[in-house]
């Protein structure tokens, strides 16, 4: 695993918490409370919040804290297109660089996703989904592209999409397709599975709004 600074670890925890819905959109993130929760000083929390503000996950950072950014649903179509482009680029770069240890970690995460899906734990599925994608994309060693992807994640309606009936089960199946492609080191299959995974949640959400 790559070495992380304290602020990077705090940022990762908060990013995961926002994507999972543990920190809902519009909620306040107070520096002192976060520092106490994480057993750290104020400084790495403050620096992590600045990083997340730059990525778009939070806004209005100050000594009082920050607010989790609201959602602009009208921008999602463009975000989906950009996610497909950039995440496929990262997956393609990552595939030949995935070590046996990382592949085993991905397999473990896939097993966790399936277990969480089976028990209907939406928040857990979202957390593990984030870790699965992040692990793949870190292996690509393309930090600028990953920064752009995180900016897109900050604006993507994970919270709304995961409330759809049976969505977490379908997401688990889509991850299984990706996992099989990774094990086979099959670039075409991985890109196809990833495109389907990114687009299907949004398409299902749009269909639910029209229905």
């Amino acid at each position: 695993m790559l070495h992380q600074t304290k602020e990077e670890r705090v940022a990762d925890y908060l990013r995961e918490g926002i994507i999972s819905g543990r920190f809902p959109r519009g909620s306040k993130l107070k520096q002192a409370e976060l520092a106490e929760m994480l057993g750290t000083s104020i400084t790495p929390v403050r620096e992590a919040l600045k990083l997340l503000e730059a990525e778009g996950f939070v806004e209005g950072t100050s000594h009082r804290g920050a607010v989790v950014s609201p959602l602009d649903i009208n921008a999602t179509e463009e975000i989906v297109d950009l996610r497909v482009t950039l995440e496929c680029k990262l997956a393609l770069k990552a595939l030949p660089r995935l070590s046996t240890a990382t592949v085993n970690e991905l397999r473990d995460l896939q097993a966790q996703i399936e277990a969480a899906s089976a028990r209907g734990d939406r928040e857990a599925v979202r957390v593990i989904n984030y870790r699965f994608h992040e692990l793949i994309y870190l292996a690509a060693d393309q930090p600028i592209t990953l920064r752009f992807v995180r900016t897109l994640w900050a604006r993507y309606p994970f919270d709304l999409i995961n409330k759809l009936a049976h969505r977490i089960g379908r997401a688990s199946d889509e991850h299984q397709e990706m996992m099989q492609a990774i094990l086979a080191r099959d670039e075409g299959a991985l890109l196809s599975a990833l495109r389907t995974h990114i687009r299907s949640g949004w398409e299902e959400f749009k269909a639910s709004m029209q229905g």
Side-chain angles (χ1 to χ4, degrees):
M1 181 60 73
L2 296 172
H3 173 72
Q4 287 185 306
T5 63
K6 282 184 180 178
E7 54 263 36
E8 285 170 342
R9 286 197 296 273
V10 173
D12 206 41
Y13 172 82
L14 294 174
R15 201 183 287 115
E16 182 180 286
I18 292 167
I19 286 173
S20 72
R22 195 183 314 130
F23 301 118
R25 293 186 184 278
S27 62
K28 287 187 177 180
L29 299 175
K30 297 180 180 177
Q31 292 183 17
E33 289 179 4
L34 291 171
E36 185 177 353
M37 181 195 307
L38 297 171
T40 188
S41 66
I42 288 282
T43 301
V45 173
R46 182 172 61 243
E47 294 306 310
L49 288 172
K50 286 179 184 175
L51 177 60
L52 293 184
E53 183 176 32
E55 291 177 352
F57 282 95
V58 303
E59 54 188 41
T61 57
S62 68
H63 66 280
R64 292 186 298 277
V67 174
V68 178
S69 297
L71 181 70
D72 179 7
I73 200 74
N74 296 319
T76 307
E77 198 79 52
E78 184 179 1
I79 288 166
V80 170
D81 288 341
L82 288 168
R83 281 192 61 197
V84 168
T85 300
L86 295 182
E87 292 183 47
C88 283
K89 178 178 183 288
L90 288 175
L92 205 56
K93 288 278 189 182
L95 188 57
R97 304 168 68 108
L98 292 172
S99 66
T100 300
T102 301
V103 170
N104 286 337
E105 199 173 342
L106 288 168
R107 292 176 84 162
D108 181 58
L109 287 171
Q110 177 57 27
Q112 291 179 42
I113 282 181
E114 290 172 13
S117 173
R119 65 176 183 269
D121 189 339
R122 287 187 169 91
E123 182 178 321
V125 168
R126 279 160 65 186
V127 168
I128 303 160
N129 176 72
Y130 164 75
R131 291 176 184 169
F132 187 94
H133 287 268
E134 181 90 349
L135 190 58
I136 295 170
Y137 302 157
L138 281 169
D141 194 23
Q142 302 272 297
I144 296 172
T145 306
L146 181 55
R147 199 173 304 137
F148 278 116
V149 166
R150 286 173 176 161
T151 299
L152 297 172
W153 286 350
R155 292 163 171 78
Y156 188 73
F158 289 103
D159 45 350
L160 300 177
I161 287 168
N162 272 58
K163 289 176 182 174
L164 295 172
H166 310 299
R167 175 61 202 153
I168 59 173
R170 288 190 288 271
S172 174
D173 292 343
E174 291 157 13
H175 267 243
Q176 181 61 250
E177 292 291 323
M178 284 188 282
M179 192 70 243
Q180 293 305 314
I182 288 168
L183 292 172
R185 302 285 176 168
D186 186 331
E187 290 182 354
L190 178 57
L191 293 181
S192 176
L194 181 55
R195 284 189 201 101
T196 297
H197 179 57
I198 293 171
R199 290 197 181 281
S200 61
W202 175 236
E203 294 301 326
E204 288 174 25
F205 180 76
K206 285 195 297 183
S208 75
M209 295 295 287
Q210 293 162 3

